[in-house]
Amino acid sequence: MPASRSVVIGVDSSTQSTKAAAVDADTGALLAVGRAPHTVTGTAGARESDPEEWWTALVTAVRAAVRDADVPAASVTGIAVAGQQHGLVTLGAGGRPLRPALLWNDTRSAPQAAALAARLGGPEAWAARTGSVPVASMTAAKWQWLREHEPERADAATGVRLPHDHLTERLSGAAVTDPGDASGTCWYGTATGAYDREVLDLLGLDPALLPALAPTGATRAGTLAPAAAEALGLPRTVAVAAGTGDNMAAAVGLGLGGAGLLDHPVVSLGTSGTVFAATRVRPAAPGLAGFAATDGAGTYLPLGCTLNCTLAVDRFAALLGLDREDAVPGGGVVVLPYLDGERTPDLPHAAGLVTGLRHDTDPRAVLGAAYEGAAFTVLRALGELLAACGLDPAAPDVRDRPLRLIGGGARGRFWTDTVRRLSGRPLVVPAAGELVALGAAALAAGAATGSDPVALATAWGTGAGEVLPALPRDEETWDRIAGVLTAATPTLLS
């Protein structure tokens, strides 16, 4: 490939690993993907990672992507990071982390979240001003936990960042974030497009510790800093985008946003399960995260998130000694696989629950019930999301819009079958397997050229894929799981 051909790098820095996609900026062709793992530590609700390991993984993954794409370094024109949302990175002298980052699925801050949610007028007021109500996953609750449990570190902080902010700063030297990822903190006002000073005062958080707000995730934060260029083996002229959160980048990769699809639902099956849609409506529903989108086009990205999805189901497969695909429908068995507590519904202290076992229960049915419990929880959140967007989930024109199914679970036959059976909706399973990284690549191309990233991704066709027709909705299984959840919540799950 000649050096004059433009290549962009999209980085997906997730909970478990970093993936860096080298993408042809003209066609969207995925040239190569580099990978490197992360380490997550912690027990009893704690989930932490060392941000220095994220940086090392980013360098390893980007170098591998450029090498495997067989392109000259001079052809790389842009880079952007999409990171796991909500994590708390506290910086000290020299911009280096004071302690391991508290991750999105660290539930130790549940008491702080509950206390915060009761302030400032209660949950409805929080949703109206920030788009979201504090729960254990939100960054504001994690900062409050740090203030109460490690006050000396909170006092010593010279910067407070989200995971993608920290990596963008390592790349460019610029302390910058975007509206999308910032809207997951509970200290950014989706109604105002700025940090909420009253919330910051409540948290004792000096706004000077926070990164500047860029208009979009494709805004050019700068170019590679000298140390970053040397580490990556790339020219200093490479444009660095402000970047965004992983869910916002996935939306861009699917072509969702002001210059693309609006009000088309997405279900993502990963470590967590998420449902989202790009919309012009700014929903304020306490059970949802009312995020901003990253394209800066007056677009929002309301999202429902569950903590327990593919990882929890895989754990059931391991406990049963079964392959993950060796499952059958649960029948009379119900599993609520809330192994890490749950976020939606808000049950941070819940544990997994199994009911309906008999002497003749097939272990494969228990595994199938774990799939059903996880899929039910995600799809239940989808109904709440559509309603918050002013849509009737049962209306034919809404019901017939296909779900776009993404994430690692979308590659699993039983996952796909379960979602079709419990949703009664057609599915689109995009052919592209790295939508977060591809969305980040579109942001990188936007930073390099000034183009709208959603329009770029739409032209690239990264959201296209196989269409699976709807199946009749399994009302019996749905109602059985719903009944168990309702009955168990007051005692067993709270």
Side-chain angles (χ1 to χ4, degrees):
M1 180 179 291
S4 59
R5 194 82 172 271
S6 177
V7 175
V8 289
I9 307 293
V11 177
D12 172 8
S13 181
S14 69
T15 312
Q16 303 291 336
S17 67
T18 292
K19 289 175 277 189
V23 176
D24 186 311
D26 296 320
T27 66
L30 181 60
L31 306 177
V33 180
R35 294 177 170 82
H38 300 166
T39 302
V40 178
T41 61
T43 59
R47 297 292 184 274
E48 298 183 346
S49 287
D50 181 0
E52 292 291 343
E53 187 179 43
W54 299 340
W55 174 250
T56 300
L58 183 151
V59 170
T60 300
V62 169
R63 280 188 168 273
V66 174
R67 180 195 67 224
D68 294 347
D70 194 24
V71 297
S75 68
V76 178
T77 58
I79 187 170
V81 177
Q84 56 177 303
Q85 288 191 253
H86 308 308
L88 176 67
V89 181
T90 48
L91 304 180
R96 293 298 182 261
L98 287 170
R99 70 175 316 283
L102 277 67
L103 304 185
W104 62 274
N105 54 351
D106 188 313
T107 58
R108 287 176 292 177
S109 57
Q112 288 73 29
L116 287 173
R119 304 286 295 277
L120 299 180
E124 288 75 16
W126 278 94
R129 66 197 300 166
T130 72
S132 304
V133 177
V135 292
S137 59
M138 296 292 182
T139 322
K142 299 182 188 307
W143 171 255
Q144 190 70 3
W145 181 92
L146 191 74
R147 291 179 71 204
E148 294 178 14
H149 290 267
E150 300 178 10
E152 70 287 349
R153 283 181 166 145
D155 290 343
T158 61
V160 173
R161 305 286 185 265
L162 294 166
H164 111 261
D165 304 341
H166 175 59
L167 293 171
T168 299
E169 191 169 7
R170 290 291 294 267
L171 287 169
S172 67
V176 64
T177 192
D178 81 301
D181 211 6
S183 64
T185 61
C186 271
W187 59 60
Y188 170 88
T190 55
T192 62
Y195 293 130
D196 189 310
R197 293 299 296 263
E198 190 174 357
V199 172
L200 294 178
D201 288 345
L202 174 64
L203 296 169
L205 181 54
D206 185 347
L209 300 181
L210 300 177
L213 285 162
T216 77
T219 300
R220 187 185 181 108
T223 59
L224 286 178
E230 181 178 359
L232 297 174
L234 295 176
R236 288 193 58 192
T237 54
V238 172
V240 181
T244 192
D246 51 5
N247 291 296
M248 292 79 194
V252 172
L254 288 164
L256 273 60
L261 294 171
L262 292 170
D263 297 315
H264 281 248
V266 177
V267 172
S268 177
L269 304 175
T271 303
S272 63
T274 56
V275 293
F276 57 86
T279 180
R280 294 292 193 189
V281 177
R282 192 181 72 84
L288 299 174
F291 294 143
T294 195
D295 62 353
T299 312
Y300 298 92
L301 196 75
L303 180 145
C305 181
T306 69
L307 288 181
N308 301 275
C309 197
T310 59
L311 193 64
V313 171
D314 285 352
R315 181 58 182 153
F316 271 88
L319 289 170
L320 294 163
L322 298 173
D323 181 87
R324 65 179 58 159
E325 290 289 339
D326 193 11
V328 298
V333 180
V334 172
V335 173
L336 299 178
Y338 301 163
L339 305 185
D340 284 318
E342 191 45 79
R343 171 173 168 177
T344 308
D346 184 18
L347 298 167
H349 304 296
L353 183 149
V354 181
T355 186
L357 296 181
R358 301 290 185 184
H359 283 288
D360 60 351
T361 297
D362 186 336
R364 296 177 301 164
V366 179
L367 180 56
Y371 277 96
E372 292 167 351
F376 164 89
T377 307
V378 174
L379 293 170
R380 181 175 175 269
L382 175 63
E384 296 174 1
L385 181 142
L386 293 172
C389 291
L391 302 171
D392 178 0
D397 65 321
V398 177
R399 186 189 61 226
D400 293 342
R401 291 175 193 168
L403 296 180
R404 280 161 172 78
L405 193 67
I406 65 173
R411 306 298 166 186
R413 176 193 57 80
F414 204 84
W415 271 115
T416 302
D417 291 348
T418 303
V419 171
R420 291 175 73 196
R421 182 163 53 87
L422 291 183
S423 71
R425 288 173 172 269
L427 303 184
V428 172
V429 182
E434 303 295 346
L435 284 165
V436 173
L438 287 167
L443 297 178
T449 66
S451 300
D452 184 290
V454 173
L456 278 171
T458 301
W460 290 350
T462 51
E466 181 183 8
V467 179
L468 302 175
L471 294 176
R473 189 162 181 258
D474 187 348
E475 302 279 0
E476 181 180 354
T477 296
W478 182 276
D479 291 343
R480 183 166 54 247
I481 299 170
V484 169
L485 177 61
T486 299
T489 293
T491 53
L492 298 178
L493 298 177
S494 297

